[in-house]
Amino acid sequence: MYRSRFVLLIISLALILQGCTTLENVLNFTKPTAKVERVELTGLNFDRADLLFTVRVENPNPVGIRLAGLDYDLLIEEGSIVNGDLQKGLELEANGSSIVEIPVSLGYSAVFDTVQNAREKDELAYAMQLGLGFAIPGLGTIRVPLEHRGELPVPRLPKLRIESLRVSRISLTRIDLEIAMGVNNPNAFDLLFRNFSYDLTVGGRNWVSGRDVRSLSFDSKSESVAVLPLSLNIVEVGRSVVDMLSGNRELDYGFSGSMLIDTDLPLLKDYPFSFDTRGEAEVFR
């Protein structure tokens, strides 16, 4: 009987002492801190940007705590574009620090649909708003807010068109032409076209195809003209083509093809691009 009471007394004292320890920890608890240590652009093309936010979390308390969850909201020019929640479940050691990585993918189409004039800008201001939820013994879950601001590049695809067709020579069997291809590069970086191939139709009829044309480079923020020489076989294209090219006039054209686009940005290389443009081009002799 007395032994049972003694055991109960020991257990009660242990629980009281444990409660005092927990209470002391609660009273001495210091809120954890977090900061964005770096932001990396891990992927970039004309469709999307991939970002990696590295956050350092400091736990200054003598007991371990748990990062139970994390919410984020990526704002572009103050408009929310991407948001979500991550269930991290990360254990933070007492008096220690830990790293949390948050990958975010941003589609430029969503940005263009949401942010006015985004297509005309070289860079967009962003704000990454984070909320870190910590499970604290004796206190429940607390949320620590965090914000980081920066800028993102906005790559934009070039625009192609046929400016004119110039007849350089007509013989009994061949017509030598020069296609003046206009290229608008709206970017703050140079563009290089590789593996450039095209098909040209005039008046709804196939005229010529070019395959693996030499590489073509275009300066940043420029309106350029690239000259593409070609030769037509009169027997194959017909006498009507000669008649079409016999004087200065405008012809309906279709200009389509594909290429790989390179830039001087390390992450933006070998981007496959197809084009299909139609209009009227002047013919000169």
Side-chain angles (χ1 to χ4, degrees), residues 144-162:
V144 174
L146 178 63
E147 181 177 277
H148 179 82
R149 292 182 174 269
E151 291 184 330
L152 275 175
V154 187
R156 297 186 295 280
L157 288 168
K159 295 179 181 178
L160 281 66
R161 66 194 178 279
I162 297 297

Side-chain angles (χ1 to χ4, degrees), residues 122-136:
D122 294 326
E123 292 183 322
L124 293 171
Y126 75 82
M128 183 60 157
Q129 297 179 347
L130 301 167
L132 291 80
F134 296 97
I136 310 300

Side-chain angles (χ1 to χ4, degrees), residues 157-269:
L157 288 168
K159 295 179 181 178
L160 281 66
R161 66 194 178 279
I162 297 297
E163 296 281 359
S164 64
L165 299 172
R166 183 174 295 277
V167 180
S168 57
R169 179 173 176 271
I170 296 180
S171 69
L172 293 176
T173 58
R174 307 199 70 79
I175 304 174
D176 294 328
L177 299 170
E178 291 180 342
I179 301 176
M181 179 181 69
V183 177
N184 170 249
N185 177 14
N187 297 285
F189 48 81
D190 297 348
L191 297 179
L192 177 68
F193 295 173
R194 295 191 300 104
N195 298 352
F196 183 77
S197 299
Y198 66 89
D199 294 292
L200 176 66
T201 62
V202 176
R205 181 173 180 175
N206 262 341
W207 265 28
V208 70
S209 296
R211 295 291 176 263
D212 294 330
V213 178
R214 72 187 190 282
S215 296
L216 303 169
S217 60
F218 302 94
D219 294 337
S220 62
K221 297 289 185 182
S222 68
E223 290 274 357
S224 307
V225 174
V227 177
L228 306 175
L230 61 96
S231 184
L232 302 178
N233 186 310
I234 294 178
V235 175
E236 292 177 358
V237 300
R239 187 69 198 180
S240 60
V241 171
V242 180
D243 296 335
M244 294 173 71
L245 298 173
S246 60
N248 293 349
R249 56 180 297 182
E250 289 188 344
L251 298 178
D252 294 331
Y253 73 85
F255 188 53
S256 60
S258 63
M259 68 187 81
L260 294 176
I261 297 180
D262 274 350
T263 75
D264 52 10
L265 302 179
L267 294 175
L268 188 45
K269 305 286 186 183

Side-chain angles (χ1 to χ4, degrees), residues 65-106:
I65 58 178
R66 184 171 180 268
L67 177 61
L70 184 151
D71 61 86
Y72 64 89
D73 191 5
L74 180 61
L75 286 73
I76 302 293
E77 301 289 338
E78 306 304 328
S80 177
I81 302 295
V82 183
N83 54 66
D85 296 278
L86 300 175
Q87 301 301 319
K88 300 303 289 186
L90 178 66
E91 300 294 335
L92 306 176
E93 295 182 359
N95 300 310
S97 66
S98 299
I99 292 295
V100 180
E101 292 184 335
I102 307 156
V104 178
S105 291
L106 173 71

